[in-house]
Amino acid sequence: MSTGFFDSVPAIPHDAGSDAPIAFRHYDPDEIVLGKRMEDHLRFAVAYWHSFAWEGGDPFGGQTFIRPWHPQDDMGRAKLKADVAFEMFERLGVPFFCWHDADLRPEQGDFAGNLATLEEITDYIGEKMEASRTRLLWGTANMFSHRRWMAGASTNPDPEVFAFAAATVKSCMDATHKLGGENYVLWGGREGYETLLNTDLGQELDHMGRFLSMVVEYKHKIGFKGAILVEPKPQEPSKHQYDFDVATCIGFLRKYGLEDEVKLNIEQGHAILAGHSFEHELALAAAEGMLGSIDMNRNDYQSGWDTDQFPNNVPEVALAYYHVLKAGGFTTGGTNFDAKLRRQSLDPEDLLAAHVGGMDVCARGLKAAAAMIEDGGLEAALEDRYAGWRSPEAQAMLGSDLASIAAKVLEQGINPAPRSGRQEILENYVNRFV
Ligand code: XUL
Ligand code: CO
């Protein structure tokens, strides 16, 4: 039985020439791109929190959305919210969704209550999944909204908060496993500090490392086959977050011996906040074998805070998927829309339009990326730029030492002639595909 929430919106056509306000013009799940269905490349997921739990508030104003599942303090309404969510998954034809525990169930104020309601709502969602083709990309614990987490979860100075966090993550891993999730994510919004004046940074990092090791140990204990992913972000809500960016996370994982157990969930907006580009973060993770999944969105380049807008910049998205494809594509990961409506976008149709538009932008980006891979122009340019390193002498130098190399430079009068980096030519090349 339909909830009626989306009744005012007609079915969404797949029609490249459509004039309808909401239509898929580029995303065709069955279109073959580089030998694989587009749906299997992109592996789209809807984020439960932005679409169904967030009520439209910002730091200067409260709720703008009025939904039939508000207020979100009741299990009956939590189930109605799940019913609407699954209706949206079906309308969009998305293969995946993602959640935090706190998005699904009302907060009970203590662990036993939160556990009981999480089990009840995830049983309910499990039944809905049996009647649906939408699967779980990942689950995670919200350890940043409730006041108990204000000074951190695993990095909290109070060991009782560490304990509450361990119990919470266990319950969320169990729920993710029960629902067949393909990954488990940890994003530490409060794992950081407001001021170093009250923070023992070294101790907090050690606690976070030990906590993540416990997560990995528990994954193996319960036989969870999915990937454990951490999500870098430099700041917001904390002034400084320990999982600052991809490079910082990789250093952290290596320090605690977790580099073979944990990969990264990389978000566009977080890359921008860290002063990087999205493709920088993706390329670095790929180079280190740690590219797990992506949170697709778009950060406003002026605002300096996390705006979580739906993507609409095809050239940027194309370069992102270029690195994903070059790394072999997603395995357990996918494209999660960690994106929310603008708070004036009140209507059910806005929710659908946002996702359809985002899916179309990603489809265009993927097709452009695939075309660049097939054409091979960027790869050939790289080959050419590094060609000198293919010679046996150049390779031998890597096994040599400074003094021997210096002697050779003198003896042979080596005096390198600079070559063009051809950046504009390559930018023009990319422009032919996007
Ligand atoms: C916050 C953020 C989170 C994580 C999951 O900026 O990106 O939604 O993706 O906790
Ligand atoms: Co995210």
Side-chain angles (χ1 to χ4, degrees), residues 47 49-50 99-100 138 140-144 185-189 231-233 235-237 241 265 267 270 273 295 297 306 308 336 338:
W49 52 101
H50 287 313
W99 48 253
H100 302 88
W138 46 266
T140 187
N142 175 330
M143 300 197 294
F144 42 88
V185 165
L186 296 109
W187 169 66
E231 182 173 328
K233 186 175 182 184
Q235 82 265 339
E236 200 194 352
Q241 275 155 227
N265 181 41
E267 177 163 330
H270 299 181
L273 289 176
D295 271 7
N297 55 28
D306 188 9
D308 283 335
N336 171 47
D338 199 349

mmCIF file of all heavy atoms in Angstrom, residues 47 49-50 99-100 138 140-144 185-189 231-233 235-237 241 265 267 270 273 295 297 306 308 336 338, ligand 1:
data_model
loop_
_atom_site.group_PDB
_atom_site.id
_atom_site.type_symbol
_atom_site.label_atom_id
_atom_site.label_comp_id
_atom_site.label_asym_id
_atom_site.label_seq_id
_atom_site.Cartn_x
_atom_site.Cartn_y
_atom_site.Cartn_z
ATOM 1 N N ALA A 47 21.244 8.456 0.488
ATOM 2 C CA ALA A 47 21.591 8.641 1.903
ATOM 3 C C ALA A 47 20.312 8.922 2.694
ATOM 4 O O ALA A 47 19.644 9.926 2.460
ATOM 5 C CB ALA A 47 22.572 9.798 2.059
ATOM 6 N N TRP A 49 19.903 9.854 5.664
ATOM 7 C CA TRP A 49 19.891 11.011 6.576
ATOM 8 C C TRP A 49 19.454 12.288 5.877
ATOM 9 O O TRP A 49 18.532 12.967 6.357
ATOM 10 C CB TRP A 49 21.243 11.186 7.281
ATOM 11 C CG TRP A 49 22.478 11.220 6.438
ATOM 12 C CD1 TRP A 49 23.189 12.314 6.060
ATOM 13 C CD2 TRP A 49 23.176 10.085 5.895
ATOM 14 N NE1 TRP A 49 24.275 11.945 5.311
ATOM 15 C CE2 TRP A 49 24.292 10.593 5.190
ATOM 16 C CE3 TRP A 49 22.968 8.703 5.926
ATOM 17 C CZ2 TRP A 49 25.199 9.765 4.530
ATOM 18 C CZ3 TRP A 49 23.875 7.878 5.260
ATOM 19 C CH2 TRP A 49 24.956 8.413 4.579
ATOM 20 N N HIS A 50 20.098 12.627 4.747
ATOM 21 C CA HIS A 50 19.775 13.908 4.122
ATOM 22 C C HIS A 50 18.350 13.913 3.585
ATOM 23 O O HIS A 50 17.663 14.927 3.638
ATOM 24 C CB HIS A 50 20.718 14.196 2.951
ATOM 25 C CG HIS A 50 22.100 14.568 3.375
ATOM 26 N ND1 HIS A 50 22.341 15.498 4.357
ATOM 27 C CD2 HIS A 50 23.311 14.160 2.940
ATOM 28 C CE1 HIS A 50 23.654 15.638 4.501
ATOM 29 N NE2 HIS A 50 24.250 14.835 3.667
ATOM 30 N N TRP A 99 22.679 4.308 5.699
ATOM 31 C CA TRP A 99 22.059 4.922 6.891
ATOM 32 C C TRP A 99 23.046 5.102 8.038
ATOM 33 O O TRP A 99 24.073 4.440 8.104
ATOM 34 C CB TRP A 99 20.869 4.103 7.407
ATOM 35 C CG TRP A 99 21.051 2.612 7.575
ATOM 36 C CD1 TRP A 99 20.525 1.636 6.773
ATOM 37 C CD2 TRP A 99 21.777 1.898 8.617
ATOM 38 N NE1 TRP A 99 20.874 0.376 7.238
ATOM 39 C CE2 TRP A 99 21.638 0.517 8.378
ATOM 40 C CE3 TRP A 99 22.523 2.297 9.727
ATOM 41 C CZ2 TRP A 99 22.216 -0.468 9.186
ATOM 42 C CZ3 TRP A 99 23.108 1.317 10.536
ATOM 43 C CH2 TRP A 99 22.940 -0.044 10.254
ATOM 44 N N HIS A 100 22.668 6.007 8.963
ATOM 45 C CA HIS A 100 23.176 6.024 10.332
ATOM 46 C C HIS A 100 22.059 5.432 11.200
ATOM 47 O O HIS A 100 20.876 5.629 10.892
ATOM 48 C CB HIS A 100 23.380 7.429 10.893
ATOM 49 C CG HIS A 100 24.311 8.321 10.141
ATOM 50 N ND1 HIS A 100 23.896 9.107 9.107
ATOM 51 C CD2 HIS A 100 25.625 8.593 10.317
ATOM 52 C CE1 HIS A 100 24.927 9.825 8.667
ATOM 53 N NE2 HIS A 100 25.985 9.523 9.372
ATOM 54 N N TRP A 138 26.046 0.748 2.750
ATOM 55 C CA TRP A 138 26.727 0.752 4.050
ATOM 56 C C TRP A 138 25.839 1.284 5.166
ATOM 57 O O TRP A 138 24.888 2.018 4.937
ATOM 58 C CB TRP A 138 28.048 1.494 4.027
ATOM 59 C CG TRP A 138 28.198 2.838 3.378
ATOM 60 C CD1 TRP A 138 28.620 3.084 2.098
ATOM 61 C CD2 TRP A 138 28.025 4.149 3.971
ATOM 62 N NE1 TRP A 138 28.706 4.435 1.873
ATOM 63 C CE2 TRP A 138 28.359 5.110 3.001
ATOM 64 C CE3 TRP A 138 27.633 4.584 5.233
ATOM 65 C CZ2 TRP A 138 28.299 6.492 3.240
ATOM 66 C CZ3 TRP A 138 27.570 5.958 5.479
ATOM 67 C CH2 TRP A 138 27.898 6.887 4.491
ATOM 68 N N THR A 140 26.292 2.973 9.283
ATOM 69 C CA THR A 140 27.263 3.662 10.138
ATOM 70 C C THR A 140 26.558 4.133 11.399
ATOM 71 O O THR A 140 25.329 4.138 11.467
ATOM 72 C CB THR A 140 27.920 4.847 9.389
ATOM 73 O OG1 THR A 140 28.977 5.382 10.200
ATOM 74 C CG2 THR A 140 26.937 5.966 9.081
ATOM 75 N N ALA A 141 27.348 4.511 12.394
ATOM 76 C CA ALA A 141 26.783 5.022 13.648
ATOM 77 C C ALA A 141 26.882 6.536 13.666
ATOM 78 O O ALA A 141 27.936 7.086 13.342
ATOM 79 C CB ALA A 141 27.559 4.442 14.826
ATOM 80 N N ASN A 142 25.802 7.187 14.025
ATOM 81 C CA ASN A 142 25.864 8.639 14.228
ATOM 82 C C ASN A 142 26.398 8.878 15.632
ATOM 83 O O ASN A 142 25.664 8.762 16.619
ATOM 84 C CB ASN A 142 24.479 9.260 14.039
ATOM 85 C CG ASN A 142 24.476 10.754 14.353
ATOM 86 O OD1 ASN A 142 25.257 11.229 15.193
ATOM 87 N ND2 ASN A 142 23.601 11.510 13.712
ATOM 88 N N MET A 143 27.687 9.213 15.726
ATOM 89 C CA MET A 143 28.288 9.506 17.026
ATOM 90 C C MET A 143 28.764 10.963 17.015
ATOM 91 O O MET A 143 29.910 11.274 17.328
ATOM 92 C CB MET A 143 29.427 8.520 17.313
ATOM 93 C CG MET A 143 28.892 7.067 17.342
ATOM 94 S SD MET A 143 29.970 5.866 18.119
ATOM 95 C CE MET A 143 31.362 5.846 17.014
ATOM 96 N N PHE A 144 27.810 11.827 16.589
ATOM 97 C CA PHE A 144 28.143 13.260 16.575
ATOM 98 C C PHE A 144 26.970 14.166 16.905
ATOM 99 O O PHE A 144 27.159 15.293 17.317
ATOM 100 C CB PHE A 144 28.743 13.675 15.207
ATOM 101 C CG PHE A 144 28.042 13.078 14.014
ATOM 102 C CD1 PHE A 144 26.956 13.715 13.440
ATOM 103 C CD2 PHE A 144 28.457 11.873 13.477
ATOM 104 C CE1 PHE A 144 26.302 13.180 12.346
ATOM 105 C CE2 PHE A 144 27.799 11.305 12.385
ATOM 106 C CZ PHE A 144 26.717 11.967 11.823
ATOM 107 N N VAL A 185 30.943 2.025 7.472
ATOM 108 C CA VAL A 185 31.672 3.300 7.407
ATOM 109 C C VAL A 185 31.851 3.909 8.801
ATOM 110 O O VAL A 185 30.964 3.798 9.664
ATOM 111 C CB VAL A 185 30.922 4.291 6.480
ATOM 112 C CG1 VAL A 185 31.422 5.724 6.653
ATOM 113 C CG2 VAL A 185 31.088 3.867 5.012
ATOM 114 N N LEU A 186 33.004 4.538 9.008
ATOM 115 C CA LEU A 186 33.212 5.355 10.211
ATOM 116 C C LEU A 186 33.629 6.749 9.774
ATOM 117 O O LEU A 186 34.656 6.911 9.096
ATOM 118 C CB LEU A 186 34.307 4.761 11.107
ATOM 119 C CG LEU A 186 33.963 3.384 11.688
ATOM 120 C CD1 LEU A 186 34.820 2.319 11.018
ATOM 121 C CD2 LEU A 186 34.155 3.345 13.192
ATOM 122 N N TRP A 187 32.800 7.710 10.134
ATOM 123 C CA TRP A 187 33.168 9.110 9.923
ATOM 124 C C TRP A 187 33.172 9.767 11.303
ATOM 125 O O TRP A 187 32.167 9.716 12.025
ATOM 126 C CB TRP A 187 32.178 9.835 9.008
ATOM 127 C CG TRP A 187 32.432 11.311 9.024
ATOM 128 C CD1 TRP A 187 33.545 11.945 8.560
ATOM 129 C CD2 TRP A 187 31.588 12.325 9.585
ATOM 130 N NE1 TRP A 187 33.443 13.302 8.798
ATOM 131 C CE2 TRP A 187 32.254 13.556 9.423
ATOM 132 C CE3 TRP A 187 30.339 12.302 10.215
ATOM 133 C CZ2 TRP A 187 31.713 14.762 9.876
ATOM 134 C CZ3 TRP A 187 29.800 13.506 10.657
ATOM 135 C CH2 TRP A 187 30.485 14.726 10.473
ATOM 136 N N GLY A 188 34.278 10.359 11.684
ATOM 137 C CA GLY A 188 34.426 10.864 13.047
ATOM 138 C C GLY A 188 34.288 12.369 13.130
ATOM 139 O O GLY A 188 35.261 13.090 13.332
ATOM 140 N N GLY A 189 33.060 12.834 13.034
ATOM 141 C CA GLY A 189 32.828 14.281 13.071
ATOM 142 C C GLY A 189 33.288 14.949 14.357
ATOM 143 O O GLY A 189 33.685 16.109 14.365
ATOM 144 N N GLU A 231 36.137 7.798 6.634
ATOM 145 C CA GLU A 231 35.802 8.907 5.730
ATOM 146 C C GLU A 231 36.540 10.168 6.153
ATOM 147 O O GLU A 231 36.251 10.746 7.203
ATOM 148 C CB GLU A 231 34.278 9.123 5.769
ATOM 149 C CG GLU A 231 33.824 10.212 4.822
ATOM 150 C CD GLU A 231 32.302 10.312 4.733
ATOM 151 O OE1 GLU A 231 31.612 9.279 4.865
ATOM 152 O OE2 GLU A 231 31.815 11.435 4.541
ATOM 153 N N PRO A 232 37.493 10.619 5.344
ATOM 154 C CA PRO A 232 38.247 11.823 5.713
ATOM 155 C C PRO A 232 37.399 13.090 5.659
ATOM 156 O O PRO A 232 36.521 13.230 4.805
ATOM 157 C CB PRO A 232 39.343 11.911 4.642
ATOM 158 C CG PRO A 232 39.309 10.636 3.871
ATOM 159 C CD PRO A 232 37.945 10.046 4.064
ATOM 160 N N LYS A 233 37.690 14.006 6.567
ATOM 161 C CA LYS A 233 37.104 15.357 6.529
ATOM 162 C C LYS A 233 37.963 16.234 7.435
ATOM 163 O O LYS A 233 38.298 15.816 8.541
ATOM 164 C CB LYS A 233 35.650 15.333 7.030
ATOM 165 C CG LYS A 233 34.942 16.681 6.868
ATOM 166 C CD LYS A 233 33.461 16.598 7.253
ATOM 167 C CE LYS A 233 32.766 17.931 7.026
ATOM 168 N NZ LYS A 233 31.368 17.919 7.465
ATOM 169 N N GLN A 235 37.449 19.368 8.905
ATOM 170 C CA GLN A 235 36.813 20.080 10.021
ATOM 171 C C GLN A 235 35.317 20.093 9.774
ATOM 172 O O GLN A 235 34.866 19.682 8.716
ATOM 173 C CB GLN A 235 37.331 21.517 10.152
ATOM 174 C CG GLN A 235 36.691 22.535 9.217
ATOM 175 C CD GLN A 235 37.472 22.770 7.945
ATOM 176 O OE1 GLN A 235 38.653 22.503 7.870
ATOM 177 N NE2 GLN A 235 36.804 23.277 6.931
ATOM 178 N N GLU A 236 34.593 20.568 10.778
ATOM 179 C CA GLU A 236 33.141 20.677 10.761
ATOM 180 C C GLU A 236 32.478 19.332 10.963
ATOM 181 O O GLU A 236 32.445 18.537 10.030
ATOM 182 C CB GLU A 236 32.611 21.347 9.473
ATOM 183 C CG GLU A 236 31.214 21.891 9.665
ATOM 184 C CD GLU A 236 30.501 22.270 8.364
ATOM 185 O OE1 GLU A 236 31.103 22.264 7.281
ATOM 186 O OE2 GLU A 236 29.316 22.541 8.472
ATOM 187 N N PRO A 237 31.924 19.048 12.130
ATOM 188 C CA PRO A 237 31.659 20.001 13.207
ATOM 189 C C PRO A 237 32.849 20.356 14.104
ATOM 190 O O PRO A 237 32.804 21.389 14.767
ATOM 191 C CB PRO A 237 30.587 19.292 14.044
ATOM 192 C CG PRO A 237 30.835 17.846 13.845
ATOM 193 C CD PRO A 237 31.314 17.724 12.416
ATOM 194 N N GLN A 241 39.560 17.879 12.643
ATOM 195 C CA GLN A 241 39.240 16.457 12.722
ATOM 196 C C GLN A 241 40.477 15.625 12.403
ATOM 197 O O GLN A 241 41.257 15.971 11.507
ATOM 198 C CB GLN A 241 38.060 16.125 11.796
ATOM 199 C CG GLN A 241 36.740 16.394 12.519
ATOM 200 C CD GLN A 241 35.550 16.683 11.633
ATOM 201 O OE1 GLN A 241 34.798 17.639 11.873
ATOM 202 N NE2 GLN A 241 35.353 15.881 10.617
ATOM 203 N N ASN A 265 36.357 6.070 2.320
ATOM 204 C CA ASN A 265 35.149 6.576 1.669
ATOM 205 C C ASN A 265 35.383 8.068 1.454
ATOM 206 O O ASN A 265 35.477 8.835 2.409
ATOM 207 C CB ASN A 265 33.924 6.344 2.569
ATOM 208 C CG ASN A 265 32.643 6.825 1.911
ATOM 209 O OD1 ASN A 265 32.442 6.620 0.719
ATOM 210 N ND2 ASN A 265 31.779 7.476 2.680
ATOM 211 N N GLU A 267 34.713 11.842 0.021
ATOM 212 C CA GLU A 267 33.583 12.730 -0.309
ATOM 213 C C GLU A 267 34.069 13.990 -1.015
ATOM 214 O O GLU A 267 35.034 14.631 -0.583
ATOM 215 C CB GLU A 267 32.854 13.090 0.997
ATOM 216 C CG GLU A 267 31.723 14.069 0.773
ATOM 217 C CD GLU A 267 30.744 14.129 1.933
ATOM 218 O OE1 GLU A 267 30.571 13.107 2.626
ATOM 219 O OE2 GLU A 267 30.175 15.207 2.149
ATOM 220 N N HIS A 270 34.274 17.155 1.216
ATOM 221 C CA HIS A 270 35.334 17.094 2.216
ATOM 222 C C HIS A 270 36.693 17.364 1.567
ATOM 223 O O HIS A 270 37.569 17.971 2.182
ATOM 224 C CB HIS A 270 35.342 15.723 2.897
ATOM 225 C CG HIS A 270 34.078 15.407 3.628
ATOM 226 N ND1 HIS A 270 33.893 14.228 4.325
ATOM 227 C CD2 HIS A 270 32.923 16.106 3.783
ATOM 228 C CE1 HIS A 270 32.676 14.214 4.865
ATOM 229 N NE2 HIS A 270 32.075 15.339 4.553
ATOM 230 N N LEU A 273 36.916 21.090 1.266
ATOM 231 C CA LEU A 273 37.173 21.717 2.573
ATOM 232 C C LEU A 273 38.627 21.531 3.001
ATOM 233 O O LEU A 273 39.178 22.359 3.714
ATOM 234 C CB LEU A 273 36.237 21.130 3.644
ATOM 235 C CG LEU A 273 34.764 21.520 3.523
ATOM 236 C CD1 LEU A 273 33.937 20.791 4.583
ATOM 237 C CD2 LEU A 273 34.573 23.029 3.668
ATOM 238 N N ASP A 295 31.390 9.381 -1.536
ATOM 239 C CA ASP A 295 30.223 10.182 -1.184
ATOM 240 C C ASP A 295 30.179 11.313 -2.194
ATOM 241 O O ASP A 295 31.015 12.222 -2.181
ATOM 242 C CB ASP A 295 30.337 10.726 0.244
ATOM 243 C CG ASP A 295 29.763 9.757 1.270
ATOM 244 O OD1 ASP A 295 29.407 8.624 0.882
ATOM 245 O OD2 ASP A 295 29.665 10.127 2.455
ATOM 246 N N ASN A 297 28.867 14.549 -3.884
ATOM 247 C CA ASN A 297 28.094 15.774 -3.679
ATOM 248 C C ASN A 297 28.885 16.913 -4.306
ATOM 249 O O ASN A 297 29.772 16.687 -5.129
ATOM 250 C CB ASN A 297 27.752 16.019 -2.198
ATOM 251 C CG ASN A 297 28.964 16.039 -1.294
ATOM 252 O OD1 ASN A 297 30.070 16.372 -1.708
ATOM 253 N ND2 ASN A 297 28.760 15.675 -0.038
ATOM 254 N N ASP A 306 30.389 22.904 4.840
ATOM 255 C CA ASP A 306 30.026 21.679 4.137
ATOM 256 C C ASP A 306 28.614 21.811 3.579
ATOM 257 O O ASP A 306 27.641 21.634 4.308
ATOM 258 C CB ASP A 306 30.122 20.544 5.172
ATOM 259 C CG ASP A 306 29.951 19.179 4.565
ATOM 260 O OD1 ASP A 306 29.919 19.071 3.336
ATOM 261 O OD2 ASP A 306 29.860 18.215 5.347
ATOM 262 N N ASP A 308 27.090 20.138 0.990
ATOM 263 C CA ASP A 308 26.411 18.890 0.602
ATOM 264 C C ASP A 308 25.348 19.092 -0.484
ATOM 265 O O ASP A 308 24.216 18.608 -0.361
ATOM 266 C CB ASP A 308 25.756 18.233 1.827
ATOM 267 C CG ASP A 308 26.756 17.517 2.709
ATOM 268 O OD1 ASP A 308 27.821 17.112 2.221
ATOM 269 O OD2 ASP A 308 26.464 17.347 3.922
ATOM 270 N N ASN A 336 27.488 7.087 -3.277
ATOM 271 C CA ASN A 336 26.434 7.466 -2.336
ATOM 272 C C ASN A 336 26.179 8.958 -2.452
ATOM 273 O O ASN A 336 27.117 9.752 -2.334
ATOM 274 C CB ASN A 336 26.880 7.117 -0.910
ATOM 275 C CG ASN A 336 25.937 7.682 0.133
ATOM 276 O OD1 ASN A 336 24.718 7.545 0.005
ATOM 277 N ND2 ASN A 336 26.488 8.325 1.151
ATOM 278 N N ASP A 338 25.720 11.760 -0.793
ATOM 279 C CA ASP A 338 25.733 12.414 0.517
ATOM 280 C C ASP A 338 25.394 13.880 0.253
ATOM 281 O O ASP A 338 26.225 14.770 0.395
ATOM 282 C CB ASP A 338 27.100 12.242 1.184
ATOM 283 C CG ASP A 338 27.016 12.492 2.673
ATOM 284 O OD1 ASP A 338 25.966 12.996 3.108
ATOM 285 O OD2 ASP A 338 27.988 12.195 3.386
HETATM 286 C C1 XUL B 1 29.400 14.387 7.174
HETATM 287 C C2 XUL B 1 29.320 13.186 6.341
HETATM 288 C C3 XUL B 1 28.585 12.044 6.920
HETATM 289 C C4 XUL B 1 29.210 10.734 6.629
HETATM 290 C C5 XUL B 1 28.569 9.589 7.355
HETATM 291 O O1 XUL B 1 30.027 15.463 6.573
HETATM 292 O O2 XUL B 1 29.781 13.161 5.230
HETATM 293 O O3 XUL B 1 27.287 12.107 6.477
HETATM 294 O O4 XUL B 1 29.181 10.446 5.276
HETATM 295 O O5 XUL B 1 28.565 9.765 8.714
#
